[in-house]
Amino acid sequence: MKKMILSLMLLVNMVSMSWTITEGKDEFGDNNGQKIATQNMGGYRDGIFRLQKDGKALEFYIVLRDYIGDVDNNKVKFKVDNNNPISLNITSDSQDGTALWIANTNQKSKFDALINQMKQGKILKISINGYFYDFTRKVDLKGFSEALEIVK
């Protein structure tokens, strides 16, 4: 058990330069075995980008510190470095209008193409056309491949 904890700590330290790895919790606050990788999108006001697995589905969870509201066409655009943008459908959003979930269900080929670009890229740009405002955020992809392996 000590070796496993030390190995996990070492792996977390390797990735933690840009990604934070945490344990998922169930409704009782107990660890549920899920691993979650989180990256800040700039400063506090810019929000977070999270990669997690919900059952078999890999998903992105985007939290902004501002009201997003209804998103144009229920799509979010992603662009890695200078590659062509990829639009993904929103799976669901939060009741307070500040968070979005985007899962690989029903859009697996596009989602997988984006993941492959992210593994090789340096910067992910996210464009969201919100209800009142348009948002563009950047995510540093350093350590993404390692974070992905932990989450899978």
Side-chain angles (χ1 to χ4, degrees):
M1 182 69 164
K2 286 182 182 179
K3 285 183 181 180
M4 187 171 115
I5 290 172
L6 289 173
S7 298
L8 185 58
M9 286 174 60
L10 179 62
L11 197 51
V12 167
N13 285 336
M14 287 175 15
V15 175
S16 66
M17 295 292 259
S18 57
W19 293 86
T20 302
I21 308 297
T22 56
E23 294 279 338
K25 307 281 185 200
D26 65 14
E27 63 269 22
F28 303 105
D30 299 324
N31 289 346
N32 62 9
Q34 178 187 40
K35 301 282 189 269
I36 301 167
T38 304
Q39 163 66 284
N40 286 324
M41 294 189 291
Y44 170 77
R45 293 283 318 152
D46 294 326
I48 62 168
F49 179 82
R50 192 161 86 183
L51 175 68
Q52 61 192 36
K53 194 169 187 177
D54 185 19
K56 292 183 180 182
L58 198 58
E59 62 184 16
F60 298 137
Y61 176 62
I62 301 168
V63 180
L64 300 181
R65 305 284 190 248
D66 295 302
Y67 180 73
I68 303 167
D70 294 329
V71 174
D72 241 6
N73 300 318
N74 283 332
K75 290 186 184 295
V76 175
K77 291 181 186 174
F78 297 87
K79 184 177 179 181
V80 176
D81 299 333
N82 291 319
N83 295 319
N84 290 327
I86 295 175
S87 293
L88 294 174
N89 295 322
I90 296 170
T91 307
S92 63
D93 56 8
S94 64
Q95 288 182 337
D96 67 358
T98 62
L100 306 170
W101 287 266
I102 300 168
N104 65 353
T105 52
N106 300 328
Q107 52 190 342
K108 188 164 175 30
S109 62
K110 286 176 156 186
F111 198 95
D112 289 349
L114 179 59
I115 291 285
N116 288 331
Q117 287 183 17
M118 291 171 70
K119 289 193 289 190
Q120 298 173 13
K122 294 185 187 314
I123 297 289
L124 169 67
K125 296 175 200 155
I126 304 169
S127 174
I128 302 169
N129 293 330
Y131 186 74
F132 292 113
Y133 305 103
D134 295 340
F135 299 93
T136 302
R137 297 292 191 266
K138 292 181 182 179
V139 177
D140 183 355
L141 294 174
K142 180 179 180 182
F144 174 77
S145 294
E146 294 85 353
L148 178 63
E149 287 307 311
I150 293 170
V151 171
K152 280 183 167 180

